[in-house]
Amino acid sequence: MKTTSKPTAEKLAWMYERMSLIRQFEERLKWLVETGVPVGAVHYYIGQEAVAAGVCAALNADDWIASNHRGHGHCIAKGVEVAPMMAELFGKVTGTNRGKGGSMHITDITKGILGVNPIVGASVGHALGAALSAKVRQTTQVAAAFFGEGGAGIGITHECMNMASIWKLPVIFVCENNGYAQATPVEYASSTAKISDRAAGYNMPGVNVDGQDPVAVWEAAEAAVKRARAGEGPSFIEAKTYRYFGHHQGDDTLRYRLKEEEQAARDRDCLKQFRAKMEKSGPLKLADLDAIDAQNKKLLDDAVEFAKSSPLPGPEELYTDVYVQAKGGAQ
Amino acid sequence: MKTTSKPTAEKLAWMYERMSLIRQFEERLKWLVETGVPVGAVHYYIGQEAVAAGVCAALNADDWIASNHRGHGHCIAKGVEVAPMMAELFGKVTGTNRGKGGSMHITDITKGILGVNPIVGASVGHALGAALSAKVRQTTQVAAAFFGEGGAGIGITHECMNMASIWKLPVIFVCENNGYAQATPVEYASSTAKISDRAAGYNMPGVNVDGQDPVAVWEAAEAAVKRARAGEGPSFIEAKTYRYFGHHQGDDTLRYRLKEEEQAARDRDCLKQFRAKMEKSGPLKLADLDAIDAQNKKLLDDAVEFAKSSPLPGPEELYTDVYVQAKGGAQ
Amino acid sequence: MSTPIRELSFGQAINEALRLEMRRDPTVIVMGEDIAGAAGREHLGLSDAWGGPMRATRGLIKEFGAARVIDTPIAEMGFTGMAVGAAMTGLRPVVEIMFVDLIGVCYDQIINQAAKMHYMMGGKVELPMVIRTAYGTRGDKRSYGGGAAAQHSQTLYSVLAHIPGLKVVVPSTAYNAKGLTIAAIRDNGPVVVMEHKFLGTSAKGHVPEEAYTVPIGKCEIVRKGKDVTLVGIGRMTHVCLEAATTLAAGGIEAEVVDVLTINPLDEETIIESVKRTHRCVVVDEDTPVCSMARDIAARVGEAAFDFLDAPVKAISSADTPVPFAAVLEANYTPNADKVVAAVKEQIG
Amino acid sequence: MSTPIRELSFGQAINEALRLEMRRDPTVIVMGEDIAGAAGREHLGLSDAWGGPMRATRGLIKEFGAARVIDTPIAEMGFTGMAVGAAMTGLRPVVEIMFVDLIGVCYDQIINQAAKMHYMMGGKVELPMVIRTAYGTRGDKRSYGGGAAAQHSQTLYSVLAHIPGLKVVVPSTAYNAKGLTIAAIRDNGPVVVMEHKFLGTSAKGHVPEEAYTVPIGKCEIVRKGKDVTLVGIGRMTHVCLEAATTLAAGGIEAEVVDVLTINPLDEETIIESVKRTHRCVVVDEDTPVCSMARDIAARVGEAAFDFLDAPVKAISSADTPVPFAAVLEANYTPNADKVVAAVKEQIG
Ligand SMILES: Cc1ncc(C[n+]2csc(CCOP(=O)(O)OP(=O)(O)O)c2C)c(N)n1
Ligand SMILES: Cc1ncc(C[n+]2csc(CCOP(=O)(O)OP(=O)(O)O)c2C)c(N)n1
Ligand SMILES: [Mg+2]
Ligand SMILES: [Mg+2]
């Protein structure tokens, strides 16, 4: 399933730009939370940036992704703007979801996002549906489903893998194995050492890639996308990764893992490694990367400002958009 | 996973006796249905007898089974008496479930049956629970879950296989692959040629046996039971079999399969093959088998008589046993 | 020369609704277990071998092919989720959940995903999807040995009507089944269509050949009367009509309202009727606790308080699982006798 | 020298209930996601690292070990089914479904399996199993940016109370949480215990050290009054008490009934109270359609018809999904102001 093509400098810059933007978004958010800005329940993506960036680097603008609860990174990688995202977390009417969804539902359907979704496994079905839609409408779109190694254990994931395979749907199952589902270690909860070993039971290719290396993820995703667009069906990618912080903003004791393990993961930080690689053998220069960081910082400054200054939803918003009003569609 | 022990003559006779009793029960039932006796929705087990008999031949009286909608055979193999079973189908108060359950809920908990259960996949969870119970209470009991190849595709089956494996629970997954889920052929609905290939994805042994040969099924079950009792965990057995008639009593056109296929299956009939084998090389004689058949016929005559002459439940039965009354247990 | 009136059964009417909408709009697809049957066996000359539990999808695959008439494996959560995703991305899926009892294995996708997606996303995504499902008891006192028992006979629509964002319609005749199904397919949000398994000939009737809609969110007064309002849902509407006939013989004129949509409920029509008749009996096939029967009774009790001459009476199925034995099932479901008795008690 | 009164929080009280019953009966086990945490890592010196969303199971693994305190993978349907099977075969499992919203992924095992098993099997099997689950909105007007939104804030108990065979209790204080949890564990049938996430200090109070039960199926009158009956469920009982205090300042004496068990409902206590006060307001945190609020209103409206001076008023959360923004969520949930206004309208 390996592809031989190498990422262009442009692709590399794009991936770094996204990883950097995700990292900065999450760090800014964490800082806001810790200084008392109330943003509801949030699940930081810090540490896993290479997975979202690598997968989305292989997707087109009109391809689809479905995301889980740990979804900020997926959204940013697929192109959601950080200002309305931040506004959403502040519960503002200018937010991606008009303040009605929050962190666990962020979406921008115009960017091909079927939604952040905190019911474990639920959005895997939505990705399958987007893939079916592409097939029925005879487009070449593909859909990627992001889920954790915890999400690999729930029934719907199994059902969707089977259906994707029998119908050869253009869908990519991206399992982000960050070692934990809340406080439950993967080696306890999963019966196989590698989650990707399960792919064979659905007659689809399964690969295990280094989730700290965006290029490795991108390569696997490229191959999967190619297969999907060719009508050959689904693929499974397990990306080994790590979340640096707690399951959610309130989980700060991390009493289920050892500090040494955390340090080892941080030593393999995706941004750090990427920078080191570029420094060593290019094609990007550190100065280029620094410029990207600076530009992203500015985006975040603006996003927070936008979020702060935006209005709250009016009281009537509680009652709007419960039912879809007749419009559009095949009426 | 092969075991070297051979079935004793006694074991063989037991298996034949059960297969014959199941066949006769179902044929009698079919005759009753066709002559207009109303017994609700029933799913005949005819053709699959060797699976239930082979698996239950490896189980002790205090082991557990969980059954699906096609459950008459499982119940008889595990020891439920045919008279109260028949009475249940007639909706009589002397039925296994006092006439409140019918075909799709027949059970006798004293015989180790967790119930026939028509929600596809549901009872796989119950078998897992019985296995957990054995483990917590530190008995050597095992539990077997019967489900179809259709049931292999639903989420709960996946969840239970994973949990059984991580906890090394004494449970046996018995997938009866009869080729169809209602009118859906297995080669359409399953992404793998063999359902048993999926077992590897749960780190448990998976075998594929001839479900028309009770000895082959028994051998596989013996090995699985041995492994389970030794605390080594679950096993997966796929038994290739065939249902001769429709999905349920109302499905008589069978427009989803070819007559040739049906005939080929009938040529491999479990009872016929068993008799031929015994005739050729023993240890049982055909006369022994005929005597068993005759004895079973008598049991069925009596069962129908019992069912017919038993009283219907009184009107108050509608309202009883909704809530468990305080009794027994750790009060 | 009189034009012969074309009569269809309930299932035929739904079949026609699906067929017409699939012709009209290529993005309409249908999916479910054995909605066609013999999937993948066209090369053997086998296909269209099942057609759903009520044969409502029979023949569709012949006209529209396997790309749009999709037999699924047994995986309700997965394929209902798939429909949600498909509805967000340009299709109008019609999903069949064989029996309503089976919502147990896909409830999340119905109540947390389909029902809430539009709201959670701030109104920025539409979700044109339909769930069709069969429900109900026979309850006709035929001396049947037994029915389908506790897990294949439920009504259960209360646990769907409870969910904001989900429209739930309960047709009672071939005519309104066709019109509501078409309306459901054309709706841009999720709609559940509850199809009773045992309407039999009571639902049969004239159905125009062309496509038409029956509006979602509107009750229909199916019999006028001045002494009491009988509110029926699905098959219970026929039970109410039967009771009304009996009552009429005794000089009591019952008005019968067919609810048709249980969420959002057209409470105005019901309340206005009760304000005229001063009495109300709601007849519901679901079990009583947190039921539509009590929901409607509470709304009427509050809004028509000053007009009521008697307490609003809610008649439900027994507060028990559905028993197997026919003798028990016959007492389980509301019937006309119970409705007549309730009215007589009210009028006294 | 006065004995210091021992006060526990809601979560601590439940923890104690579980601990005492596990000591008393070796067949009681608890299971769920991260009810302990760090599963399988004892050898690294790590364990008991989580304790459920409200820490109600914290510390149990230390005393009872991993054989009886079972962290599960994310597989609610599977492990709830496992509990059903375990309950049929000699154990008394206590299952934690982290949030009630998640019943969507295991509804079948709750409503079709656990609830109906005893009945379907003709009373021949017992099913001593408990499901604990957290529910509810904060609704406290804190200027929070947002809450947990549509899929992690629901109340949803109506769709459980609807099901015959399933007992559902909703404790409101540390005291009754302990007693109802113990009663639930000792019950030989399935019981759901609904634990509100945001009771905070309102639920804190004196809890005796020993085991005791609060009877399932009984309401409690928590404040006597003669002018109106306020019926509260869970956190809404505190909202009713707050409203009663306000009303008392204006000379209106409200009686407050804490429902405690929503199924089977102790309707007698409620109806008797209304017969005395002639007015009734039911306050429920769930959404209104097919709700407990309307269920109770309908029962009272029917049984106390001749005693009512005003229509029974049902107050529910908004008929919408739960919005994220705090400004919206604050208006979503019933509060004391709304209750006071309803009473004034009734008495007005
Ligand atoms: C069906 C369901 N069960 C449980 C939860 C609670 N929950 C939210 S996230 C989570 C852990 C998910 O782990 P994983 O899939 O590995 O993703 P990660 O958090 O590691 O990114 C759990 C148990 C839920 N939201 N949905
Ligand atoms: C969850 C669920 N989905 C669908 C059904 C309807 N149904 C009952 S049996 C059946 C087919 C089962 O096929 P399989 O598991 O292969 O068993 P078989 O009938 O072949 O013995 C279906 C679809 C059901 N009862 N439960
Ligand atoms: Mg994880
Ligand atoms: Mg089969």
Side-chain angles (χ1 to χ4, degrees), chain C residues 64-108:
Chain C
F64 305 105
R68 291 177 63 200
V69 180
I70 305 172
D71 273 354
T72 63
I74 306 175
E76 283 82 359
M77 188 72 97
F79 70 71
T80 307
M82 182 170 78
V84 170
M88 283 196 274
T89 57
L91 297 183
R92 304 180 87 80
V94 180
V95 180
E96 177 172 293
I97 312 274
M98 205 176 289
F99 302 112
V100 72
D101 314 72
L102 307 180
I103 61 169
V105 301
C106 55
Y107 199 50
D108 175 67

Short mmCIF file of all heavy atoms in Angstrom, two decimals, chain C residues 64-108:
data_model
loop_
_atom_site.label_atom_id
_atom_site.label_comp_id
_atom_site.label_asym_id
_atom_site.label_seq_id
_atom_site.Cartn_x
_atom_site.Cartn_y
_atom_site.Cartn_z
N PHE C 64 -35.10 0.76 -10.08
CA PHE C 64 -34.05 1.74 -9.73
C PHE C 64 -32.66 1.13 -9.54
O PHE C 64 -31.69 1.87 -9.39
CB PHE C 64 -34.48 2.53 -8.49
CG PHE C 64 -35.82 3.20 -8.67
CD1 PHE C 64 -36.95 2.69 -8.05
CD2 PHE C 64 -35.95 4.31 -9.49
CE1 PHE C 64 -38.20 3.29 -8.23
CE2 PHE C 64 -37.19 4.92 -9.67
CZ PHE C 64 -38.32 4.41 -9.04
N GLY C 65 -32.57 -0.17 -9.51
CA GLY C 65 -31.26 -0.81 -9.42
C GLY C 65 -30.68 -0.84 -8.02
O GLY C 65 -31.14 -0.16 -7.10
N ALA C 66 -29.63 -1.64 -7.88
CA ALA C 66 -29.03 -1.88 -6.57
C ALA C 66 -28.27 -0.68 -6.03
O ALA C 66 -27.97 -0.61 -4.84
CB ALA C 66 -28.11 -3.10 -6.63
N ALA C 67 -27.95 0.28 -6.89
CA ALA C 67 -27.24 1.46 -6.39
C ALA C 67 -28.15 2.33 -5.53
O ALA C 67 -27.70 3.02 -4.63
CB ALA C 67 -26.68 2.28 -7.55
N ARG C 68 -29.45 2.28 -5.79
CA ARG C 68 -30.39 3.15 -5.06
C ARG C 68 -31.33 2.35 -4.16
O ARG C 68 -32.07 2.94 -3.36
CB ARG C 68 -31.19 4.02 -6.03
CG ARG C 68 -30.32 5.08 -6.71
CD ARG C 68 -31.13 5.89 -7.71
NE ARG C 68 -32.20 6.64 -7.06
CZ ARG C 68 -33.27 7.12 -7.70
NH1 ARG C 68 -33.41 6.90 -9.00
NH2 ARG C 68 -34.18 7.79 -7.05
N VAL C 69 -31.33 1.05 -4.30
CA VAL C 69 -32.17 0.20 -3.44
C VAL C 69 -31.21 -0.77 -2.77
O VAL C 69 -30.82 -1.78 -3.34
CB VAL C 69 -33.23 -0.54 -4.28
CG1 VAL C 69 -34.09 -1.43 -3.39
CG2 VAL C 69 -34.11 0.46 -5.04
N ILE C 70 -30.81 -0.40 -1.56
CA ILE C 70 -29.63 -1.01 -0.97
C ILE C 70 -30.00 -1.97 0.15
O ILE C 70 -30.45 -1.56 1.23
CB ILE C 70 -28.69 0.08 -0.44
CG1 ILE C 70 -28.34 1.06 -1.58
CG2 ILE C 70 -27.43 -0.54 0.17
CD1 ILE C 70 -27.58 2.29 -1.13
N ASP C 71 -29.81 -3.25 -0.10
CA ASP C 71 -29.95 -4.23 0.97
C ASP C 71 -28.74 -4.11 1.88
O ASP C 71 -27.60 -4.05 1.41
CB ASP C 71 -30.00 -5.64 0.38
CG ASP C 71 -31.42 -6.05 0.01
OD1 ASP C 71 -32.37 -5.31 0.31
OD2 ASP C 71 -31.58 -7.14 -0.58
N THR C 72 -28.98 -4.10 3.18
CA THR C 72 -27.88 -3.92 4.13
C THR C 72 -27.66 -5.20 4.92
O THR C 72 -28.58 -6.00 5.08
CB THR C 72 -28.21 -2.82 5.14
OG1 THR C 72 -29.35 -3.24 5.89
CG2 THR C 72 -28.51 -1.50 4.47
N PRO C 73 -26.46 -5.38 5.45
CA PRO C 73 -26.26 -6.41 6.47
C PRO C 73 -27.05 -6.04 7.74
O PRO C 73 -27.63 -4.95 7.82
CB PRO C 73 -24.75 -6.36 6.75
CG PRO C 73 -24.15 -5.61 5.62
CD PRO C 73 -25.22 -4.66 5.16
N ILE C 74 -27.09 -6.92 8.69
CA ILE C 74 -27.78 -6.65 9.95
C ILE C 74 -26.88 -5.74 10.79
O ILE C 74 -25.96 -6.20 11.46
CB ILE C 74 -28.13 -7.95 10.70
CG1 ILE C 74 -28.90 -8.88 9.77
CG2 ILE C 74 -28.95 -7.64 11.96
CD1 ILE C 74 -29.19 -10.25 10.37
N ALA C 75 -27.12 -4.47 10.69
CA ALA C 75 -26.23 -3.47 11.28
C ALA C 75 -26.97 -2.15 11.34
O ALA C 75 -26.58 -1.17 10.73
CB ALA C 75 -24.97 -3.35 10.41
N GLU C 76 -28.06 -2.14 12.11
CA GLU C 76 -28.93 -0.97 12.13
C GLU C 76 -28.20 0.30 12.55
O GLU C 76 -28.46 1.38 12.01
CB GLU C 76 -30.13 -1.20 13.05
CG GLU C 76 -31.23 -2.08 12.49
CD GLU C 76 -30.95 -3.57 12.63
OE1 GLU C 76 -29.87 -3.92 13.17
OE2 GLU C 76 -31.79 -4.38 12.21
N MET C 77 -27.33 0.20 13.55
CA MET C 77 -26.63 1.41 13.99
C MET C 77 -25.77 1.94 12.85
O MET C 77 -25.77 3.14 12.58
CB MET C 77 -25.77 1.11 15.21
CG MET C 77 -25.16 2.34 15.84
SD MET C 77 -26.38 3.36 16.71
CE MET C 77 -26.13 2.76 18.39
N GLY C 78 -25.06 1.04 12.23
CA GLY C 78 -24.18 1.45 11.15
C GLY C 78 -24.93 2.05 9.97
O GLY C 78 -24.57 3.11 9.47
N PHE C 79 -26.00 1.38 9.54
CA PHE C 79 -26.64 1.92 8.33
C PHE C 79 -27.54 3.10 8.62
O PHE C 79 -27.75 3.95 7.74
CB PHE C 79 -27.27 0.82 7.46
CG PHE C 79 -28.50 0.12 7.98
CD1 PHE C 79 -29.72 0.76 8.04
CD2 PHE C 79 -28.44 -1.21 8.34
CE1 PHE C 79 -30.87 0.09 8.47
CE2 PHE C 79 -29.58 -1.89 8.78
CZ PHE C 79 -30.80 -1.23 8.85
N THR C 80 -28.05 3.22 9.83
CA THR C 80 -28.78 4.44 10.16
C THR C 80 -27.80 5.60 10.23
O THR C 80 -28.07 6.71 9.75
CB THR C 80 -29.56 4.29 11.48
OG1 THR C 80 -30.36 3.11 11.40
CG2 THR C 80 -30.46 5.48 11.74
N GLY C 81 -26.63 5.34 10.80
CA GLY C 81 -25.57 6.35 10.81
C GLY C 81 -25.15 6.71 9.39
O GLY C 81 -24.90 7.88 9.08
N MET C 82 -25.08 5.71 8.56
CA MET C 82 -24.72 5.94 7.15
C MET C 82 -25.75 6.86 6.50
O MET C 82 -25.40 7.77 5.74
CB MET C 82 -24.65 4.60 6.44
CG MET C 82 -24.25 4.69 4.98
SD MET C 82 -23.90 3.06 4.27
CE MET C 82 -25.55 2.43 4.02
N ALA C 83 -27.01 6.63 6.82
CA ALA C 83 -28.07 7.48 6.26
C ALA C 83 -27.91 8.92 6.74
O ALA C 83 -28.11 9.87 5.97
CB ALA C 83 -29.44 6.94 6.64
N VAL C 84 -27.54 9.10 8.00
CA VAL C 84 -27.32 10.46 8.51
C VAL C 84 -26.23 11.14 7.70
O VAL C 84 -26.38 12.28 7.24
CB VAL C 84 -26.96 10.42 10.02
CG1 VAL C 84 -26.49 11.78 10.51
CG2 VAL C 84 -28.15 9.94 10.85
N GLY C 85 -25.12 10.43 7.51
CA GLY C 85 -24.02 11.00 6.73
C GLY C 85 -24.42 11.26 5.29
O GLY C 85 -24.03 12.27 4.69
N ALA C 86 -25.20 10.35 4.73
CA ALA C 86 -25.64 10.51 3.34
C ALA C 86 -26.56 11.73 3.22
O ALA C 86 -26.48 12.49 2.25
CB ALA C 86 -26.34 9.25 2.85
N ALA C 87 -27.41 11.90 4.23
CA ALA C 87 -28.35 13.03 4.20
C ALA C 87 -27.63 14.37 4.32
O ALA C 87 -28.10 15.39 3.84
CB ALA C 87 -29.40 12.88 5.30
N MET C 88 -26.48 14.36 4.97
CA MET C 88 -25.70 15.60 5.09
C MET C 88 -24.94 15.92 3.81
O MET C 88 -24.40 17.01 3.68
CB MET C 88 -24.71 15.48 6.26
CG MET C 88 -25.34 15.63 7.62
SD MET C 88 -24.10 15.94 8.90
CE MET C 88 -23.61 14.28 9.31
N THR C 89 -24.87 14.96 2.91
CA THR C 89 -23.98 15.13 1.77
C THR C 89 -24.69 14.91 0.43
O THR C 89 -24.10 14.38 -0.50
CB THR C 89 -22.78 14.16 1.87
OG1 THR C 89 -23.30 12.81 1.97
CG2 THR C 89 -21.93 14.44 3.08
N GLY C 90 -25.96 15.27 0.39
CA GLY C 90 -26.59 15.34 -0.92
C GLY C 90 -27.58 14.25 -1.28
O GLY C 90 -28.16 14.29 -2.36
N LEU C 91 -27.78 13.28 -0.41
CA LEU C 91 -28.80 12.27 -0.70
C LEU C 91 -30.02 12.49 0.20
O LEU C 91 -29.97 13.24 1.17
CB LEU C 91 -28.24 10.86 -0.49
CG LEU C 91 -27.07 10.43 -1.40
CD1 LEU C 91 -26.71 8.98 -1.11
CD2 LEU C 91 -27.42 10.60 -2.87
N ARG C 92 -31.10 11.82 -0.17
CA ARG C 92 -32.31 11.81 0.65
C ARG C 92 -32.63 10.35 0.96
O ARG C 92 -33.49 9.74 0.33
CB ARG C 92 -33.48 12.47 -0.09
CG ARG C 92 -33.20 13.90 -0.55
CD ARG C 92 -34.37 14.53 -1.27
NE ARG C 92 -35.30 15.16 -0.36
CZ ARG C 92 -35.12 16.36 0.18
NH1 ARG C 92 -34.05 17.08 -0.12
NH2 ARG C 92 -36.00 16.85 1.00
N PRO C 93 -31.93 9.78 1.97
CA PRO C 93 -32.12 8.36 2.24
C PRO C 93 -33.42 8.05 2.97
O PRO C 93 -33.86 8.81 3.84
CB PRO C 93 -30.92 8.01 3.13
CG PRO C 93 -30.44 9.29 3.68
CD PRO C 93 -30.88 10.40 2.78
N VAL C 94 -34.02 6.96 2.58
CA VAL C 94 -35.18 6.41 3.28
C VAL C 94 -34.72 5.07 3.86
O VAL C 94 -34.42 4.15 3.13
CB VAL C 94 -36.36 6.18 2.32
CG1 VAL C 94 -37.56 5.61 3.07
CG2 VAL C 94 -36.73 7.48 1.60
N VAL C 95 -34.64 5.04 5.17
CA VAL C 95 -34.11 3.86 5.86
C VAL C 95 -35.26 3.04 6.38
O VAL C 95 -36.19 3.57 6.98
CB VAL C 95 -33.27 4.29 7.08
CG1 VAL C 95 -32.71 3.08 7.81
CG2 VAL C 95 -32.16 5.22 6.66
N GLU C 96 -35.20 1.74 6.20
CA GLU C 96 -36.19 0.89 6.86
C GLU C 96 -35.57 0.19 8.05
O GLU C 96 -34.58 -0.54 7.92
CB GLU C 96 -36.74 -0.15 5.88
CG GLU C 96 -37.71 -1.09 6.58
CD GLU C 96 -38.43 -2.01 5.62
OE1 GLU C 96 -39.23 -1.52 4.81
OE2 GLU C 96 -38.19 -3.22 5.68
N ILE C 97 -36.15 0.43 9.24
CA ILE C 97 -35.82 -0.36 10.42
C ILE C 97 -36.96 -1.37 10.50
O ILE C 97 -38.11 -0.98 10.76
CB ILE C 97 -35.82 0.49 11.70
CG1 ILE C 97 -35.02 1.79 11.52
CG2 ILE C 97 -35.36 -0.31 12.91
CD1 ILE C 97 -33.58 1.72 11.76
N MET C 98 -36.65 -2.60 10.29
CA MET C 98 -37.68 -3.62 10.05
C MET C 98 -38.86 -3.53 11.01
O MET C 98 -40.01 -3.48 10.60
CB MET C 98 -37.02 -4.99 10.13
CG MET C 98 -37.74 -6.06 9.38
SD MET C 98 -36.81 -7.61 9.45
CE MET C 98 -35.41 -7.24 8.42
N PHE C 99 -38.57 -3.50 12.31
CA PHE C 99 -39.61 -3.34 13.33
C PHE C 99 -39.17 -2.27 14.31
O PHE C 99 -37.97 -2.16 14.59
CB PHE C 99 -39.84 -4.66 14.08
CG PHE C 99 -40.23 -5.79 13.18
CD1 PHE C 99 -39.36 -6.85 12.97
CD2 PHE C 99 -41.44 -5.78 12.50
CE1 PHE C 99 -39.70 -7.89 12.12
CE2 PHE C 99 -41.79 -6.82 11.66
CZ PHE C 99 -40.92 -7.88 11.46
N VAL C 100 -40.11 -1.56 14.86
CA VAL C 100 -39.75 -0.46 15.75
C VAL C 100 -38.99 -0.96 16.98
O VAL C 100 -38.16 -0.25 17.55
CB VAL C 100 -41.00 0.35 16.17
CG1 VAL C 100 -41.86 -0.42 17.15
CG2 VAL C 100 -40.60 1.70 16.77
N ASP C 101 -39.24 -2.21 17.36
CA ASP C 101 -38.52 -2.79 18.49
C ASP C 101 -37.01 -2.70 18.29
O ASP C 101 -36.25 -2.67 19.26
CB ASP C 101 -38.90 -4.26 18.64
CG ASP C 101 -40.40 -4.49 18.55
OD1 ASP C 101 -40.98 -4.39 17.44
OD2 ASP C 101 -41.02 -4.77 19.58
N LEU C 102 -36.60 -2.67 17.02
CA LEU C 102 -35.18 -2.68 16.71
C LEU C 102 -34.52 -1.32 16.83
O LEU C 102 -33.31 -1.20 16.67
CB LEU C 102 -34.95 -3.27 15.32
CG LEU C 102 -35.59 -4.63 15.07
CD1 LEU C 102 -35.30 -5.11 13.66
CD2 LEU C 102 -35.11 -5.66 16.08
N ILE C 103 -35.29 -0.28 17.12
CA ILE C 103 -34.64 1.01 17.37
C ILE C 103 -33.71 0.88 18.56
O ILE C 103 -32.80 1.70 18.73
CB ILE C 103 -35.63 2.16 17.63
CG1 ILE C 103 -36.50 1.90 18.85
CG2 ILE C 103 -36.47 2.45 16.39
CD1 ILE C 103 -37.30 3.12 19.30
N GLY C 104 -33.92 -0.15 19.36
CA GLY C 104 -33.02 -0.39 20.50
C GLY C 104 -31.57 -0.51 20.08
O GLY C 104 -30.67 -0.14 20.84
N VAL C 105 -31.31 -1.02 18.90
CA VAL C 105 -29.92 -1.19 18.48
C VAL C 105 -29.39 -0.02 17.64
O VAL C 105 -28.24 -0.06 17.18
CB VAL C 105 -29.68 -2.53 17.73
CG1 VAL C 105 -30.04 -3.72 18.62
CG2 VAL C 105 -30.45 -2.60 16.42
N CYS C 106 -30.21 1.01 17.44
CA CYS C 106 -29.70 2.16 16.66
C CYS C 106 -30.26 3.47 17.18
O CYS C 106 -30.30 4.46 16.45
CB CYS C 106 -30.03 2.00 15.18
SG CYS C 106 -31.78 1.75 14.84
N TYR C 107 -30.65 3.46 18.44
CA TYR C 107 -31.32 4.63 19.02
C TYR C 107 -30.43 5.86 18.99
O TYR C 107 -30.90 6.97 18.74
CB TYR C 107 -31.72 4.26 20.45
CG TYR C 107 -32.79 5.11 21.09
CD1 TYR C 107 -33.99 5.39 20.46
CD2 TYR C 107 -32.61 5.60 22.39
CE1 TYR C 107 -34.97 6.15 21.08
CE2 TYR C 107 -33.59 6.34 23.03
CZ TYR C 107 -34.77 6.62 22.38
OH TYR C 107 -35.74 7.36 23.00
N ASP C 108 -29.15 5.68 19.22
CA ASP C 108 -28.26 6.84 19.21
C ASP C 108 -28.33 7.59 17.90
O ASP C 108 -28.42 8.83 17.88
CB ASP C 108 -26.81 6.43 19.48
CG ASP C 108 -25.86 7.62 19.35
OD1 ASP C 108 -25.96 8.53 20.18
OD2 ASP C 108 -25.06 7.66 18.40
#
